[in-house]
Amino acid sequence: MPLGARVLLIGYGNPARGDDGLGPALAEAIAELHLPGVTVEIDYQLTVDHAALIAAHDLVIFADAAMDLDAPFRLTRTGTTPTATLGSHQVTPEVALHLAGLLFGKVPPAFTIAIAGTAFGAIREGLGPEARCHLGQAVAAVLELLGNSADDRPQVRAKGL
């Protein structure tokens, strides 16, 4: 990361649905580290409103839970994808990036980290033991991706939690 880079980490998912809370849990873990230059956003899902935040940053990391991964997590480069319709649960990281470019003229480099979970659906607060292990590995991967080069204090905004 270049010195002074502004990083946005968006952790999304529903913590009341067991391991679906892995995205917010990763975001909270990163926020607690007070990394310079890192802004943390926590939400239930991606929305059109995230496009403005995305365009205001130099790097974006999307964090969400995933089913059926063959590894504890998967970190991938994220590109843009246009969409013909928008509705609840239809804004993916690729669509959010596309909207940032379309509406605000900027598409920063982005990554998506999908974290393996096993207990989804039932109304249950908290992560399962396997998900907690995967979370620790995912946090380490994000820290490795970020390095130590940004220069502002983070901002933490929790929506709906």
Side-chain angles (χ1 to χ4, degrees):
M1 287 292 311
L3 188 62
R6 295 165 298 155
V7 176
L8 173 64
L9 188 145
I10 305 173
Y12 57 100
N14 187 347
R17 295 283 184 182
D19 291 352
D20 192 44
L22 277 162
L26 182 132
E28 289 171 1
I30 296 298
E32 289 174 4
L33 298 174
H34 303 286
L35 299 173
V38 177
T39 299
V40 175
E41 176 83 4
I42 298 171
D43 214 330
Y44 282 110
Q45 62 190 23
L46 294 174
T47 68
V48 173
D49 296 335
H50 288 109
L53 281 172
I54 290 166
H57 289 82
D58 302 311
L59 174 71
V60 179
I61 302 168
F62 299 96
D64 193 14
M67 292 185 203
D68 302 324
L69 284 183
D70 57 0
F73 67 90
R74 181 180 60 232
L75 181 65
T76 56
R77 187 71 184 248
T78 307
T80 65
T81 300
T83 185
T85 61
L86 287 176
S88 179
H89 295 286
Q90 290 180 326
V91 179
T92 64
E94 295 83 3
V95 169
L97 286 169
H98 175 75
L99 291 171
L102 183 67
L103 299 173
F104 301 100
K106 183 178 176 195
V107 179
F111 292 86
T112 298
I113 187 158
I115 310 162
T118 58
F120 294 90
I123 296 176
R124 177 183 58 85
E125 291 283 336
L127 303 174
E130 191 174 356
R132 283 193 302 273
C133 179
H134 295 169
L135 174 63
Q137 294 175 54
V139 168
V142 168
L143 292 175
E144 184 176 333
L145 176 65
L146 293 177
N148 295 317
S149 60
D151 64 1
D152 294 324
R153 285 281 180 205
Q155 301 169 14
V156 180
R157 297 175 7 163
K159 290 184 182 175
L161 297 180

